[in-house]
Amino acid sequence: MNKPIDPFLAQAQGARVGVSRPHESAHLHVAGEAPYVDDLPELTGTLHAALGLSPVARGRLTGLALDTIRALPGVVAVLSAADLPGVNDCGALEHDDPILADGEVRYVGQPVFAVIARTRDAARRAAARAKDVLSIDPLPPLLTPQAAHAAGQYVVPPAHLVRSTHPGGVAGAIAAAPHRLQDTWFVGGQEQFYLEGQISYAVPQEDGGVLVHCSTQHPSEMQHLVAHVLNLSSNQVQVVCRRMGGGFGGKESQSAVFACIAAIACRQLGKPVKLRPDRDDDFLITGRRHCFHYDYDVGFDDDGRVLGSEITMVSRAGHSADLSAPVMTRALCHFDNAYWLPDVAIHGYSAKTNTQSNTAFRGFGGPQGAIAIEYILDSIARRLGKDPLDVRRANFYGVDERNVTPYGQTVEDNQIAPLVAQLEARSGYRARRTEIAAFNATSPVLKRGLAFTPVKFGISFNVVHLNQAGALVHIYADGSILVNHGGTEMGQGLNTKVAQVVAHELGVNFERVRVTGTDTQKVANTSATAASTGADLNGKAAQDAARQLRERLAAFIGPRHHTTDVRFAGDTVWVGGQAVPFTEVVKQAYFARVQLWSDGFYATPGLHWNRETMQGKPFFYFAYGAAVSEVVVDTLTGEWKLLRADVLHDVGRSLNPAIDIGQVEGAFIQGMGWLTTEELVWHPADGSPRAGLLTTHAPSTYKIPTANDCPPVFDVQLYDADNASETIHRSKAVGEPPLLLPFSVFFAIRDAISAAGGHRTDPPLQAPATPEAILRALGAVAAGC
């Protein structure tokens, strides 16, 4: 035996949670050696698929001259809806989303047929002939949410969330308020723009089975959909995802059409088939963040407190339901953001338009809901001549009162007031307000703006049964550890955190643990890696499996040393104060026929939700945050620059501070892009052949932020507080909540525009705040509108 040392010191020196560690694949990323689906060696005989897309936004499909395509060089087969062996549907919730168009086309870019060829180039060239072989009788399309709402066209029934304590109801509370604000507003959508595009590679297996390598956030859903379209049982379909090059929600449900078509072609031809659309086709086929149109009516008092509010939110759902219903539910449940709204009525309509079917995107409707109340409060402050932070603070949720959301959940462990106070002091907000006013007074062209916005974001899936996860942990005879869980790695560091959790639970060095790719043949019936629950769910499941192994090893080694005092730390097992190497304990346990693998499971407790009444406890806890942003706007060109951003974000007791700070920084810049530079433009319904075409379908026309858009001063810190809820090591989710932090950038731009008019008017700035939108708002301010 080695000389005993302090096991807690050993643990501090070894692997544990709460420390900053590099991403487990960082060394592969920087060397270009991290394999993605398209990097997998292609099997002999691999064929390539491409999709023939509808050139018309809406119409009756009357003919398919596919023999013309079949005769093209290199083409092996062409598939249409008639060739599908099973159900022609890949809808996530409703059965309303055909894999290939049948009888009608619903948007420009809808897949109508699939070309399978010997090379990718041959497949793409053949698929590009779609206009020549499709016979379509055009019909008038609906392209905007406003037009679809006016026509009463929705993909799902409307949702309504109402709370009222006023005798006259919400309308009475608004009418009785000293002040009233009525207006409309619009927030655009956002393309996920994952670096790795959509891709699936299907490989035939024995006895009619199929293996699909798929870049997806939801392997189990891909498994089920592929099984349905092939008329197979789920145990005949294996879906594997080692890693994705980004997802952001765009690969939660919308990887389905690519997985299904690759699998269909693979099964029919008995050959491996790869389907990888180029970026333009990816844009044209798949959906993105929903744009929202708002119509609101708000009553408030002299201090800016909201006394009554009613808002109608209309989203552009696209041609099918996809995930629009839960997106709208989350939008309705986040309209309150950090604020107590005593009398409130929120109405949500998912408008059916002849555009791509919109889907999940980081935040999943929460950002679209929360930014509406932020815009309203910002306008109230300007109407009253008050600092917007003071108006926001006057409306904050309380701790022991004014602490129940419109959907009936009590806000427990409310951190918003102390967090905001801490950031207000750290950022020098008040002093900078004075400095910016002085600058603007002497600068006729360049105007600076400052804004402070808070975040309260609920964590859990809206649908209760999805809040579950499983994991497998294997300890090999040499002491190395292999972990598999149901979550997917898309660059966010999930596998790194899970490995840390397992290493911590078993008291071993981090390097001893390896996490393998997600595989439906290892952990079954998994939920999507979404809703910011990846580490919460899968970390808990892996911890459960590792805990069972630790207890099993302790029960084995303790009696051999006549003690019950067994602890695991520093890659060592401490048995009655004596140190035994972990590898030695494992070897002895193996020879004693002790089971060295275990499964783990976790289901989030205490959740309940009634989607009919829109009441319950849909969230396990809330994450909080706040940001202060300072911008400068050129009033002649509409150009702007973010000068400084101060961020304080609540991740509970961080599992990995470096990864969490990276997530906050990335979310901030991504959210800033949504609200400023990333504009989606469809050709209007003007009767021309281009009607309904998404014209911003490539990096040349769709502008995501770059490194140059990061502010020169970007101070991101983590708020120091444990999660009051019993999460994995008291941490909190970090994927989605910080995307709401750059609301402060948008409102800082609005503040600068207001300064151009001497803060006498309320600038009508739409989002995204492109230079064109900024110039329109400046024009309105100059006109006194």
Side-chain angles (χ1 to χ4, degrees):
M1 293 280 184
N2 296 326
K3 181 180 179 181
I5 61 171
D6 183 352
F8 300 104
L9 176 61
Q11 183 172 346
Q13 294 172 342
R16 58 185 174 89
V17 297
V19 297
S20 293
R21 289 189 176 277
H23 190 287
E24 48 92 25
S25 294
H27 62 293
L28 300 176
H29 291 152
V30 297
E33 296 177 355
Y36 297 85
V37 174
D38 202 36
D39 299 317
L40 299 177
E42 293 182 2
L43 298 174
T44 301
T46 293
L47 301 174
H48 297 265
L51 300 177
L53 309 180
S54 169
V56 175
R58 180 179 174 228
R60 287 184 291 270
L61 182 59
T62 58
L64 288 166
L66 297 182
D67 286 342
T68 302
I69 303 296
R70 294 186 178 101
L72 293 174
V75 173
V76 175
V78 182
L79 305 177
S80 67
D83 300 305
L84 273 56
V87 180
N88 183 17
D89 177 73
C90 59
L93 300 176
E94 304 289 334
H95 300 300
D96 64 345
D97 201 344
I99 297 168
L100 293 173
D102 187 11
E104 63 173 344
V105 293
R106 302 177 181 174
Y107 70 96
V108 176
Q110 182 177 7
V112 181
F113 61 89
V115 178
I116 296 87
R118 302 194 186 282
T119 67
R120 182 169 179 264
D121 183 65
R124 291 184 61 208
R125 288 180 181 276
R129 298 280 300 274
K131 290 182 180 180
D132 302 331
V133 301
L134 299 180
S135 297
I136 301 172
D137 292 339
L139 295 170
L142 292 171
L143 300 180
T144 67
Q146 299 96 308
H149 184 49
Q153 296 294 311
Y154 311 110
V155 295
V156 292
H160 304 280
L161 175 56
V162 180
R163 172 175 67 188
S164 180
T165 58
H166 193 278
V170 173
I174 296 171
H179 305 280
R180 191 166 184 171
L181 174 66
Q182 295 173 292
D183 209 343
T184 61
W185 193 46
F186 181 83
V187 170
Q190 184 182 21
E191 167 65 29
Q192 291 90 355
F193 216 107
Y194 25 68
L195 291 181
E196 176 204 30
Q198 299 278 2
I199 182 171
S200 285
Y201 184 30
V203 180
Q205 301 293 286
E206 66 176 54
D207 200 21
V210 63
L211 162 65
V212 183
H213 295 280
C214 183
S215 183
T216 180
Q217 296 171 239
H218 203 342
S220 285
E221 182 172 322
M222 299 307 106
Q223 177 193 34
H224 299 157
L225 291 170
V226 168
H228 289 159
V229 75
L230 294 181
N231 277 331
L232 298 175
S233 57
S234 291
N235 64 9
Q236 294 174 281
V237 178
Q238 179 184 8
V239 177
V240 174
C241 179
R242 171 60 185 93
R243 60 171 59 84
M244 286 169 279
F248 307 114
K251 297 176 181 176
E252 182 175 344
S253 63
Q254 301 227 342
S255 45
V257 66
F258 308 100
C260 288
I261 290 175
I264 293 163
C266 166
R267 186 83 188 288
Q268 292 198 5
L269 300 173
K271 297 283 188 179
V273 176
K274 180 186 287 188
L275 173 50
R276 176 172 68 87
D278 67 6
R279 182 68 66 176
D280 294 82
D281 285 350
D282 197 325
F283 261 83
L284 291 174
I285 296 168
T286 64
R288 45 200 58 86
R289 186 187 301 281
H290 297 66
C291 71
F292 269 59
H293 182 268
Y294 310 92
D295 191 334
Y296 56 85
D297 188 1
V298 180
F300 55 97
D301 65 16
D302 292 340
D303 294 321
R305 290 188 183 89
V306 175
L307 304 178
S309 54
E310 183 165 15
I311 185 167
T312 295
M313 304 183 184
V314 184
S315 70
R316 177 191 273 124
H319 75 98
S320 67
D322 196 83
L323 297 172
S324 292
V327 165
M328 181 58 74
T329 296
R330 187 167 282 261
L332 268 59
C333 290
H334 281 77
F335 174 64
D336 62 328
N337 195 18
Y339 311 110
W340 160 253
L341 303 175
D343 285 80
V344 58
I346 317 165
H347 313 288
Y349 296 85
S350 300
K352 184 174 184 178
T353 56
N354 295 113
T355 56
Q356 295 80 8
S357 188
N358 284 330
T359 189
F361 195 130
R362 195 176 195 173
F364 203 78
Q368 295 98 309
I371 198 169
I373 191 65
E374 294 297 339
Y375 191 88
I376 289 167
L377 292 178
D378 194 70
S379 296
I380 288 173
R382 299 190 186 284
R383 299 289 177 96
L384 295 175
K386 292 181 176 293
D387 189 303
L389 176 57
D390 295 333
V391 170
R392 288 183 166 95
R393 183 175 267 132
N395 285 282
F396 279 168
Y397 274 111
V399 175
D400 298 318
E401 59 181 4
R402 295 163 43 97
N403 64 343
V404 179
T405 66
Y407 45 90
Q409 179 167 348
T410 300
V411 179
E412 300 168 335
D413 188 36
N414 186 351
Q415 298 291 328
I416 198 64
L419 187 151
V420 165
Q422 185 176 325
L423 182 61
E424 181 183 11
R426 195 191 88 206
S427 65
Y429 175 80
R430 300 292 175 178
R432 289 166 63 191
R433 270 275 176 224
T434 302
E435 293 168 4
I436 289 171
F439 172 88
N440 288 337
T442 60
S443 177
V445 174
L446 299 180
K447 297 293 183 181
R448 290 191 176 184
L450 186 71
F452 190 130
T453 57
V455 173
K456 175 185 70 66
F457 196 91
I459 303 299
S460 286
F461 283 102
N462 296 55
V463 181
V464 173
H465 76 264
L466 296 178
N467 295 281
Q468 59 175 297
L472 298 172
V473 177
H474 296 177
I475 302 178
Y476 292 97
D478 65 354
S480 63
I481 299 166
L482 191 70
V483 182
N484 187 267
H485 59 85
T488 52
E489 175 63 50
M490 61 194 89
Q492 83 278 39
L494 173 59
N495 285 349
T496 308
K497 289 184 174 182
V498 170
Q500 286 183 269
V501 166
V502 171
H504 180 88
E505 198 68 20
L506 292 172
V508 299
N509 291 336
F510 176 82
E511 292 73 19
R512 193 175 290 282
V513 183
R514 179 169 175 259
V515 181
T516 58
T518 314
D519 187 334
T520 56
Q521 288 191 352
K522 293 182 179 178
V523 177
N525 307 317
T526 60
S527 295
T529 305
S532 302
T533 61
D536 281 7
L537 296 177
N538 297 286
K540 272 287 193 181
Q543 182 189 45
D544 179 43
R547 176 190 53 78
Q548 295 178 53
L549 286 167
R550 189 192 73 233
E551 292 174 350
R552 198 174 297 154
L553 289 172
F556 159 73
I557 198 67
R560 292 196 166 203
H561 293 262
H562 310 290
T563 182
T564 58
D565 181 17
V566 181
R567 288 179 285 177
F568 293 71
D571 219 34
T572 302
V573 182
W574 298 86
V575 189
Q578 297 299 309
V580 183
F582 179 79
T583 53
E584 179 63 26
V585 173
V586 169
K587 184 169 69 172
Q588 291 181 28
Y590 170 70
F591 285 124
R593 297 185 296 177
V594 173
Q595 180 182 328
L596 293 175
W597 61 269
S598 184
D599 57 7
F601 181 77
Y602 176 74
T604 309
L607 301 178
H608 57 94
W609 179 249
N610 186 324
R611 65 178 183 178
E612 302 301 325
T613 63
M614 299 286 284
Q615 294 292 302
K617 183 184 179 183
F619 306 121
F620 190 36
Y621 62 86
F622 296 99
Y624 301 90
V628 180
S629 291
E630 182 178 345
V631 303
V632 60
V633 172
D634 186 330
T635 59
L636 297 181
T637 66
E639 295 174 288
W640 65 277
K641 184 175 180 60
L642 178 60
L643 302 175
R644 176 178 170 181
D646 297 87
V647 172
L648 184 60
H649 195 70
D650 166 33
V651 297
R653 188 59 55 195
S654 175
L655 293 172
N656 187 318
I659 283 179
D660 285 346
I661 288 174
Q663 284 291 293
V664 174
E665 291 173 341
F668 187 96
I669 299 301
Q670 187 174 54
M672 181 180 75
W674 167 46
L675 295 172
T676 58
T677 63
E678 299 182 44
E679 185 174 25
L680 294 162
V681 178
W682 282 266
H683 193 92
D686 57 1
S688 74
R690 289 172 56 86
L693 173 67
L694 177 65
T695 59
T696 51
H697 56 77
S700 57
T701 51
Y702 186 81
K703 298 301 182 182
I704 64 171
T706 69
N708 290 332
D709 295 301
C710 294
V713 179
F714 197 10
D715 185 5
V716 175
Q717 295 186 24
L718 303 180
Y719 183 63
D720 186 15
D722 287 2
N723 190 347
S725 298
E726 191 178 344
T727 54
I728 183 70
H729 292 288
R730 300 291 176 172
S731 63
K732 286 188 178 183
V734 72
E736 294 174 306
L739 189 130
L740 285 68
L741 295 168
F743 288 2
S744 57
V745 177
F746 177 86
F747 290 109
I749 294 172
R750 196 173 190 233
D751 187 54
I753 295 170
S754 177
H759 296 295
R760 292 185 297 271
T761 59
D762 188 12
L765 180 64
Q766 304 293 312
T770 61
E772 295 89 342
I774 289 171
L775 288 175
R776 287 193 294 270
L778 285 165
V781 166
C785 298

